[in-house]
Amino acid sequence: FLAILLPPFAVPALAWLYRQPWCRLLSNYLAGENLRNTINLILPGLALAVLLLPLLIGLFKTFGPGPGIVDLFANPDWIGGSPLESGSLYVFLNSILWFFGIHGAHALLPFTQALEHAVDLNATALAYGQAATHPVNASFLGAFAFVGGSGATLALALAILLFTQMRSLRLIALASLPLSLFNINEILLFALPVIFNFRLLIPFLLAPMAGLVVALYAQASGLIAPVTVAYPYTGLIGLNAYMASGGDWAAVALQACILTLDVLIYLPFVRRIAAHA
């Protein structure tokens, strides 16, 4: 969050320094415009770095994540004693950050690391013959909540391809499809776009939340095995659910059901966009 909040203050300061005569290394007559501007940014950049470094060090020491934050978030009791509440909070924050163009997993890095650590805690419990203690973890979210990336946007691509005839939308959805199968959705986010597209805000928030709720219920009911295997977020759809659950085909079937539900969530919003295009 410090990195997100820094530019609105740092960029005006850099511009002010750039306008000061004592920061100019080249005059207007000694080089081309691009080279001159680049060289004349050297001193303003160094001066700003010298000013910001002690400030950032102080902020990190004051507000930086402590050593216990991983255990704090990995413990489902940290908010209301419910994996549903803690998982819903992470899913919501991740989605809303992405909607405004901020990389959710990076902005929530301490929490993301905690969720990755929760997978290891489940694996350790399983190795000692104990029940998995962390239903919500990174592999779980990658397989069941963020199907196709943030906002569960594989469903968005499928809804466009299956239920609309708009050539421009279909081309973008088709181009995004191979990457969406690996939970990579930047093409949809920036080219459709999803970012700052308030007509897609509700399904972008609702679809991953629906996947979280359905998967938690299925896991608590014993319909699928607990997620105990660390698996890359960019794993292939289908394979990620199978591997993360330790080879449970029911998890793959559940992921397919969640994907279908997500398509139904996106469908009315996609039709509305196509009707008003």
Side-chain angles (χ1 to χ4, degrees), residues 39-51:
I39 292 178
N40 284 338
L41 278 169
I42 292 176
L43 288 182
L46 290 174
L48 187 61
V50 170
L51 292 173

Side-chain angles (χ1 to χ4, degrees), residues 16-107:
W16 182 85
L17 288 168
Y18 177 80
R19 292 193 296 267
Q20 305 311 305
W22 53 271
C23 282
R24 299 282 178 87
L25 293 177
L26 286 181
S27 69
N28 294 334
Y29 307 103
L30 295 179
E33 183 178 0
N34 290 335
L35 178 61
R36 183 176 67 250
N37 290 338
T38 300
I39 292 178
N40 284 338
L41 278 169
I42 292 176
L43 288 182
L46 290 174
L48 187 61
V50 170
L51 292 173
L52 288 179
L53 188 58
L55 173 63
L56 290 174
I57 291 174
L59 289 173
F60 272 111
K61 287 184 176 181
T62 305
F63 301 106
I69 195 167
V70 168
D71 295 326
L72 173 66
F73 192 86
N75 181 357
D77 295 332
W78 79 278
I79 174 171
S82 168
L84 177 60
E85 292 180 34
S86 57
S88 297
L89 179 63
Y90 181 85
V91 168
F92 174 79
L93 291 175
N94 183 288
S95 299
I96 200 69
L97 285 167
W98 265 114
F99 183 79
F100 289 102
I102 300 169
H103 196 299
H106 289 173

